[in-house]
Amino acid sequence: MAKVFGHIEGHPVGSRYQRRKELSEAGVHAPLRGGIHGNSREGADSIVVSGGYPDDEDHGDVIIYTGHGGQENKRQVSDQDIKDPGNAGLVQSALEGNLIRVIRGASGDPKHSPASGFRYDGLYRVESHRSKTGVGGYRIWQFRLVAADVSDEDGVTPFHGDTTHEPAPRHPVTIQRVIRKSAVTQLVKQLHNGRCQMCDQVLLVPGDSHYSEGAHIQAIGQPYNGPDVLENVLCLCPNCHVLFDYGARYLTDDLHIVDGVTHEEIGKLRTHRQHKIDSRYVRHHRGRWVATD
Amino acid sequence: MAKVFGHIEGHPVGSRYQRRKELSEAGVHAPLRGGIHGNSREGADSIVVSGGYPDDEDHGDVIIYTGHGGQENKRQVSDQDIKDPGNAGLVQSALEGNLIRVIRGASGDPKHSPASGFRYDGLYRVESHRSKTGVGGYRIWQFRLVAADVSDEDGVTPFHGDTTHEPAPRHPVTIQRVIRKSAVTQLVKQLHNGRCQMCDQVLLVPGDSHYSEGAHIQAIGQPYNGPDVLENVLCLCPNCHVLFDYGARYLTDDLHIVDGVTHEEIGKLRTHRQHKIDSRYVRHHRGRWVATD
């Protein structure tokens, strides 16, 4: 089934459904089974939140959503795989900035769930994801979903049109790669003269200017709460920044760079004597992507 | 003089000054001469808009600001150089998302300028820049400045603290790399499977997902007004996208890739039979960065 991002016409926020079949026929959540409608190629366009995983947390505008897989008879019996189509779909939607329809079912957290059946609760974006050992003792994947502010026209305008040549929206919407900036990130970029600490590239542009990004190792903001200090920031090119933020690169304690897909060492982080890296932050970042060592 | 980004304490928007000397002592615009306070390393933190260049346009919230250089006795007698410290500073501030203090002088466009002396008119961001042949017949550089919406806390919170270890702001501010998204950009990315048409990289992340960006060749939005059509979009990695958007890469009509700093050919754009590029758009983009051929 093609993915359709954004609101479904005729199904405003708050719409109620008795059965999964109605949700499916409406196109609000297409599959009859499974909490995530998605795959790695197209992304995910909708999820059902219904308390199926004990590590789920529903805070209303923020949902910590556990990925799919590893359960038998509603018990976790094995690790979840990020390559599971639903999980990979949520990763792809995070990368694309796609908005995801959230449907809550009656068996979810009573504080935010309908008393019976299902309710369409609007659009959320995937702010970040990580893996961790769940309460069942197995590795799970978790996605932090944040309610999209639909009053903010940039980036969150409901985006109709699926990925298979449906009518284009009249105006391209803007999505953003968010880059945190502070005196600390500025200083790190200066110490490295804008040269990427991973791939050694400098993006030079006419005018003798260059572009680089300050990347926090332990992410700042919820739920990671890393500090904005020199020891927690890298100077990276945008490509390595994307790879680092999505777990395609992580660091060993002695600052070797590891490919997060193959888990092979592919180089060593270039350092600067005035810019020490604290291995606590390195371990925190690595812990999001590989089983804690 | 160190650059200080954002408002200057004690000098709210609307503050008036009789002379450049007062502006300088206040730190609102540090240099006594010259319209731009900046250099390629630190960026530019303030400009004076006072009608010194006939190609300037002042629309209030949007200013088309001509760069520095090439004048003698107030007449344009040679091409401007993007490496001029003021011009390069504006490029660097565009790359960094720095906000720039705008001061209007009495000799500017009467519609928006003070009747006498100088007035601090608040913070603007450098949205884009380009070169073109000015009314004087020489190559000039122009910067599109847009009033920052200080009600939007992300990205435009006045950022105090200069670039030389002054107290850090309590919270890192968020700046954004804006990436336009539409059904057209999605399709281009799919046709190329997320592989950069310039450097051939795919940014693979765990989950079999990948990240790429749809890059408009002739920029969309003011003042370039390129269309959101297949023939005007490239699939690029973030690094090549930054380089392309800032003129560090441009294309020949037969789609060879040229380094915008050295003007040497460095490769050929990879194409796809279902994705033709229209050379009109290529020429428009190139015309922003090199003298029209």
Side-chain angles (χ1 to χ4, degrees):
Chain A
M1 282 163 288
K3 305 301 170 289
V4 181
F5 294 99
H7 299 299
I8 302 295
E9 215 161 320
H11 295 266
V13 173
S15 297
R16 305 291 291 263
Y17 309 85
Q18 279 311 306
R19 296 188 175 70
R20 287 287 298 255
K21 192 157 181 286
E22 290 169 46
L23 274 175
S24 175
E25 284 167 357
V28 172
H29 186 71
L32 287 169
R33 299 176 64 90
I36 309 169
H37 185 222
N39 61 49
S40 68
R41 195 172 57 81
E42 298 173 290
D45 66 348
S46 63
I47 60 168
V48 173
V49 179
S50 57
Y53 292 87
D55 294 281
D56 280 1
E57 294 173 34
D58 193 342
H59 306 286
D61 282 351
V62 175
I63 299 169
I64 311 297
Y65 188 75
T66 306
H68 176 262
Q71 285 192 338
E72 267 175 31
N73 300 320
K74 306 199 173 184
R75 275 186 57 233
Q76 201 74 25
V77 296
S78 61
D79 288 347
Q80 292 188 341
D81 187 350
I82 192 63
K83 289 189 188 170
D84 174 283
N87 301 341
L90 286 171
V91 173
Q92 188 66 41
S93 280
L95 286 162
E96 291 289 345
N98 289 328
L99 298 181
I100 292 173
R101 286 182 301 280
V102 166
I103 298 99
R104 285 191 174 86
S107 48
D109 186 327
K111 205 165 159 195
H112 300 288
S113 304
S116 68
F118 299 92
R119 185 184 64 216
Y120 172 48
D121 279 352
L123 300 172
Y124 285 62
R125 60 174 70 253
V126 188
E127 200 184 67
S128 68
H129 69 293
R130 64 167 172 193
S131 72
K132 69 167 197 180
T133 303
V135 295
Y138 293 94
R139 197 83 179 154
I140 58 170
W141 287 91
Q142 288 200 308
F143 300 86
R144 181 180 167 86
L145 302 166
V146 178
D149 175 15
V150 278
S151 72
D152 169 11
E153 241 189 297
D154 267 356
V156 290
T157 310
F159 174 59
H160 282 280
D162 67 8
T163 55
T164 52
H165 311 219
E166 284 296 292
R170 267 163 315 181
H171 305 294
V173 297
T174 50
I175 59 173
Q176 282 110 18
R177 274 201 58 226
V178 170
I179 298 138
R180 308 281 180 174
K181 175 178 171 166
S182 65
V184 169
T185 58
Q186 287 300 99
L187 176 57
V188 169
K189 289 159 62 168
Q190 278 171 35
L191 288 172
H192 293 278
N193 284 315
R195 186 175 294 277
C196 178
Q197 290 186 256
M198 288 194 171
C199 74
D200 241 32
Q201 269 196 83
V202 186
L203 300 190
L204 269 182
V205 312
D208 288 333
S209 300
H210 46 65
Y211 182 77
S212 61
E213 295 175 359
H216 289 89
I217 302 171
Q218 176 173 345
I220 60 178
Q222 289 288 335
Y224 309 110
N225 300 317
D228 185 39
V229 296
L230 211 62
E231 297 76 11
N232 188 34
V233 172
L234 299 174
C235 174
L236 297 181
C237 73
N239 282 6
C240 288
H241 195 177
V242 166
L243 293 172
F244 188 70
D245 277 358
Y246 287 88
R249 297 283 182 275
Y250 60 85
L251 296 169
T252 63
D253 281 1
D254 58 355
L255 304 183
H256 283 89
I257 304 163
V258 183
D259 183 309
V261 176
T262 63
H263 299 289
E264 280 170 18
E265 281 193 14
I266 54 171
K268 188 155 198 311
L269 195 78
R270 201 194 59 253
T271 53
H272 185 288
R273 64 187 165 76
Q274 288 171 262
H275 175 215
K276 306 285 182 211
I277 305 296
D278 190 322
S279 57
R280 272 180 300 175
Y281 308 129
V282 164
R283 276 195 291 275
H284 183 281
H285 173 270
R286 190 170 67 229
R288 279 175 67 184
W289 310 109
V290 290
T292 326
D293 28 22
Chain B
M1 282 161 286
K3 306 300 170 288
V4 181
F5 295 99
H7 299 299
I8 303 295
E9 217 163 317
H11 295 267
V13 173
S15 296
R16 305 292 290 265
Y17 310 85
Q18 279 311 306
R19 297 188 175 70
R20 286 289 295 259
K21 191 156 181 289
E22 291 169 45
L23 274 174
S24 175
E25 285 167 358
V28 172
H29 186 71
L32 286 169
R33 299 177 64 91
I36 309 169
H37 185 223
N39 61 49
S40 67
R41 195 173 56 83
E42 298 174 290
D45 65 349
S46 63
I47 61 168
V48 173
V49 180
S50 57
Y53 292 87
D55 294 280
D56 280 1
E57 294 174 36
D58 192 342
H59 305 288
D61 282 351
V62 175
I63 299 169
I64 311 297
Y65 189 75
T66 305
H68 176 262
Q71 285 192 339
E72 268 176 31
N73 299 319
K74 306 199 172 183
R75 276 186 56 232
Q76 201 72 27
V77 296
S78 62
D79 288 347
Q80 292 187 341
D81 187 352
I82 192 64
K83 290 188 188 169
D84 174 282
N87 302 340
L90 286 171
V91 173
Q92 189 66 39
S93 281
L95 286 162
E96 291 290 345
N98 289 329
L99 298 181
I100 290 171
R101 286 183 300 282
V102 167
I103 297 100
R104 285 192 174 86
S107 48
D109 187 327
K111 206 165 159 194
H112 300 288
S113 304
S116 67
F118 299 91
R119 187 184 62 217
Y120 172 47
D121 280 352
L123 301 171
Y124 284 62
R125 59 173 71 253
V126 188
E127 198 183 70
S128 68
H129 69 292
R130 65 169 171 191
S131 73
K132 70 168 197 177
T133 302
V135 295
Y138 292 94
R139 198 78 178 158
I140 57 170
W141 287 91
Q142 289 200 308
F143 300 86
R144 181 181 168 86
L145 302 166
V146 178
D149 175 15
V150 277
S151 71
D152 168 11
E153 241 189 298
D154 268 355
V156 290
T157 309
F159 174 59
H160 281 282
D162 68 7
T163 55
T164 51
H165 311 217
E166 283 296 293
R170 267 163 317 184
H171 305 293
V173 298
T174 308
I175 59 173
Q176 282 110 16
R177 274 200 57 226
V178 170
I179 298 138
R180 308 280 180 175
K181 174 177 170 167
S182 65
V184 169
T185 59
Q186 287 300 98
L187 176 57
V188 168
K189 289 159 61 168
Q190 278 171 37
L191 288 172
H192 292 278
N193 285 314
R195 186 174 293 278
C196 179
Q197 290 187 255
M198 288 194 173
C199 74
D200 240 34
Q201 269 196 83
V202 187
L203 301 190
L204 270 181
V205 312
D208 289 333
S209 300
H210 47 65
Y211 182 77
S212 62
E213 295 175 359
H216 289 90
I217 303 171
Q218 176 173 344
I220 61 179
Q222 288 288 337
Y224 309 109
N225 300 318
D228 185 39
V229 296
L230 210 61
E231 296 77 9
N232 188 34
V233 172
L234 299 174
C235 174
L236 297 180
C237 72
N239 282 6
C240 288
H241 194 178
V242 166
L243 293 172
F244 189 71
D245 277 358
Y246 287 88
R249 297 285 182 271
Y250 59 85
L251 296 169
T252 63
D253 281 1
D254 58 355
L255 303 183
H256 283 88
I257 304 163
V258 183
D259 183 308
V261 177
T262 63
H263 299 289
E264 280 171 17
E265 281 193 15
I266 54 170
K268 189 157 196 312
L269 195 79
R270 201 194 59 254
T271 53
H272 185 288
R273 64 188 165 72
Q274 287 170 263
H275 175 216
K276 306 287 180 208
I277 304 296
D278 190 321
S279 57
R280 271 180 303 175
Y281 308 129
V282 164
R283 275 196 292 274
H284 184 282
H285 173 269
R286 191 169 66 229
R288 277 175 67 186
W289 310 109
V290 291
T292 326
D293 28 20

